[in-house]
Amino acid sequence: DLKSEMNKTRKLPLMKDTRASDSSQEEAIDQWARRRKQFKDSKKCSSTGGSSINSTITEGSINSEDARSVDLGLHSENEDRGFYTENFHSASWVFRGDDVSPDNSPRCLSKRPRPVAIRERTVKIAKGTGNYPWGFRIQFSKPILVTEVDTNSAAEEAGLQVGDILIAVNGTDVTSVPHSEAANLARKGPDILTMVVGSDISRYPNTPRPTCRGYLHKRTQSAILKGWRKRWFVLKHNGYLHYYKHKKDEGKCRPLEVTKLEGAEIGVDTSLGKPFVFKCIPQCGNRIFYFCATSNQEMKRWLEAMDKAVHPVHQNHVWVDVTLHNTTLPPLAIKNPECLGLLHQLDRSKDVWIQHYCILKDGCLYFYATLRSTPAQGGLYLQGYIVSEQSLGSKRSVIELKPPSEEFKTFYLCAENVNENKRWITALKASINKWLPLHQAIQDFMNRPLEETRM
């Protein structure tokens, strides 16, 4: 049954400070799929009686939103190990920070505004021709968002993405300037538009890879027709290289061939006695592709873009980065905590209360064994949870953390006294309120005054 399957999962060996192998990742994901199917088929398991379902994927392997939980490899005999992150990864959330309702913030909360965690990068876009020479649209102010990127444009090739936040334009900070001023900075600047942009913590974690488009001569490997053929090549954001007979065929016809570049070997080739030739040896198969560019500069452009596709940078979700970093700190080293103190957590399987020293920070509740413990034993991502005061057994005042779906686990916490419970309930509600579901955030943006500029 489901309960015995969960118990087996708890006994799986942990892999500390190492990446899980491909086979162990697949096994963990398969186990998760089986358990979820069991739940949906049987509907016999109550969220209040179940235990946290954590996969054995290690910290370093959490590279996508498909990873359902973060196992820190830290546990005790009396509690579930690691972070319970189910609800955060099952929906998209946008962080809106302390500015939600500063007047209603409890005394234990910091009222100082803090910036949303973002991952910054520099994008350089060469000015083209026409009315919209860069090929993208920006909207709103404070922050200014990229809301459209034209296909086949210089902006797309530079790696600009819908949802990016403008931080600086041509060296000038635009986080606090009006929309029109940022647009003028771009228009009055040089032909190479340099922007610092960032993705907020609700965005997909992997670093965007630039596209590359253009004509190259490809060496034909046919036994009948040998030589070089001019073809239109397109390197897409997902790291796949497509090529067509003509430029006009892109988007209208199927590509003649699609090649995955991740793990491939690329480099300049001089064996054919022809200038500006470079080769690509994909990881799968025995083929060698030879390409010839029209100039040394064009060859370098392709090699740089292909190298990023060959060695993609896989990164954790920014929010996972933040919480994993905080777990390595002593409890009092976490900056600007919203609430802290002793809490008892109910272990339903043994009907016992386990004491933790807890830190609440931006929608995450960290559990420590004691005030002097390092690192954290685990924690709970609170996005979407409903906090209320309940009576449970002999305890007349208990904090109930109820998830938005019965599929997830309900948590019961209890402070030292009724007043402490109320203090925690107020802080927990305010911390959860910092996060918005993505669909609600989009609706809020749509209701803002329209400011937009086509660049």
Side-chain angles (χ1 to χ4, degrees), residues 14 29 46 102 130 175 179 220 257 299 310 313:
L14 297 177
I29 293 170
S46 167
T175 54
H179 178 97
T220 304
E257 193 166 352
M299 180 180 71
V310 169
V313 179

Side-chain angles (χ1 to χ4, degrees), residues 116-120 165 167 197-201 318:
V116 173
I118 57 173
R119 180 171 281 131
E120 297 181 8
I165 300 169
I167 298 171
V197 299
S199 299
D200 68 29
I201 59 181
V318 180

Side-chain angles (χ1 to χ4, degrees), residues 10 14 71-82 377:
R10 285 200 201 95
L14 297 177
D71 188 344
L72 300 180
L74 303 165
H75 66 282
S76 69
E77 296 179 356
N78 297 321
E79 63 176 323
D80 294 324
R81 61 177 180 264
Q377 293 175 311

